[in-house]
Amino acid sequence: MNSLDSLVQAVTDGMEKEAVAAADVVIGEGVPVETIIEELTAGMREIGEQFARMEIFLPEMMTAAQAMQKVLRILEPEMKQSATVAEKKGVVVIGTVEGDMHEIGKDIVISLLQVNGFEVHDLGFNVNSLEFVNQAIKLNADIIGVSALMTTTMPAQREIIEFLKEKGVRDKFHVILGGAPVTREWVDACGADSWGENAGVAIHILEKAMKERSN
């Protein structure tokens, strides 16, 4: 196993210290940052697909995502220096709705979006519905990701759609909902565009949505 393979293995195994050490080695060897990102992206995509198939579970997904975030911070200077980093696929504004303090699922989605070429703006948790709309407009986003982990906070997802309609900008954004209580029926009732049943599924949906927008 070469150093790059060792890095990918450490990340996908969720071994933060080992991943950081391996990243330093790979950078020291002069491996192009594009190659590093490409291999890490493939590894994290496989993790996302394993999660979608229920071959691994939330703890494994979380540790891999956290290791990936650590490595990305190390790679950031190299990425900025590189003129050939992959073109971004789209701009995402994402957050957890007002009254809801849960972030784990959202943070995993963010990690996968970033390594798959999306520019992500994390609004955090307990975010007012109008803030989602205002930030999406301000940042000229393509996608609004709205997470709600409790049935009592789910109505805020519908409220965001209503605010978009009131402002006459509903068609400007692809709105994807997420959270354990969210269902296809709820997505249809809200008038949202899609449902990120899990992180792996969400990435595929949003990549497809951006391809359709560009056609």
Side-chain angles (χ1 to χ4, degrees):
M1 184 181 293
N2 62 33
S3 57
L4 183 54
D5 290 338
S6 296
L7 169 59
V8 174
Q9 189 69 55
V11 168
T12 56
D13 286 346
M15 301 168 66
E16 288 188 26
K17 290 183 179 179
E18 291 81 353
V20 168
D24 287 334
V25 171
V26 171
I27 292 170
E29 291 177 350
V31 178
V33 68
E34 300 86 356
T35 302
I36 301 172
I37 294 296
E38 182 180 338
E39 292 298 315
L40 287 170
T41 298
M44 286 302 295
R45 182 180 287 274
E46 176 59 24
I47 288 292
E49 290 174 355
Q50 288 176 14
F51 182 66
R53 296 193 299 264
M54 297 184 69
E55 295 174 2
I56 61 172
F57 300 98
L58 187 58
E60 292 94 331
M61 185 73 175
M62 285 178 57
T63 55
Q66 289 165 355
M68 183 68 188
Q69 287 176 332
K70 292 276 189 181
V71 170
L72 284 176
R73 283 197 282 271
I74 293 171
L75 292 175
E76 189 173 355
E78 302 292 326
M79 293 167 66
K80 288 181 178 179
Q81 289 178 16
S82 173
T84 56
V85 172
E87 181 180 353
K88 70 181 178 185
K89 293 178 180 176
V91 179
V92 183
V93 165
I94 188 170
T96 303
V97 297
E98 190 168 19
D100 201 321
M101 307 299 173
H102 296 85
E103 289 198 279
I104 292 172
K106 170 182 67 66
D107 289 348
I108 291 172
V109 171
I110 288 171
S111 294
L112 289 182
L113 284 169
Q114 289 173 330
V115 301
N116 279 282
F118 288 87
E119 176 185 321
V120 184
H121 298 269
D122 180 14
L123 303 182
F125 60 89
N126 193 30
V127 182
N128 179 270
S129 297
L130 195 55
E131 182 69 6
F132 277 94
V133 176
N134 289 339
Q135 288 299 315
I137 293 171
K138 176 182 176 181
L139 296 166
N140 195 28
D142 303 293
I143 297 160
I144 301 175
V146 190
S147 178
L149 276 293
M150 302 185 296
T151 55
T152 53
T153 60
M154 286 172 66
Q157 294 179 318
R158 188 203 299 265
E159 186 177 48
I160 290 166
I161 303 290
E162 292 171 352
F163 279 142
L164 289 170
K165 290 177 179 177
E166 288 176 9
K167 288 182 173 287
V169 293
R170 173 63 188 91
D171 294 340
K172 181 175 172 59
F173 308 104
H174 180 102
V175 181
I176 183 168
L177 307 184
V182 176
T183 63
R184 167 51 58 191
E185 290 74 22
W186 175 245
V187 170
D188 293 340
C190 289
D193 295 297
S194 61
W195 166 37
E197 184 177 0
N198 60 55
V201 169
I203 302 306
H204 288 299
I205 289 171
L206 296 180
E207 286 181 332
K208 181 179 179 182
M210 292 309 301
K211 284 179 182 178
E212 290 173 352
R213 279 183 168 234
S214 64
N215 291 337

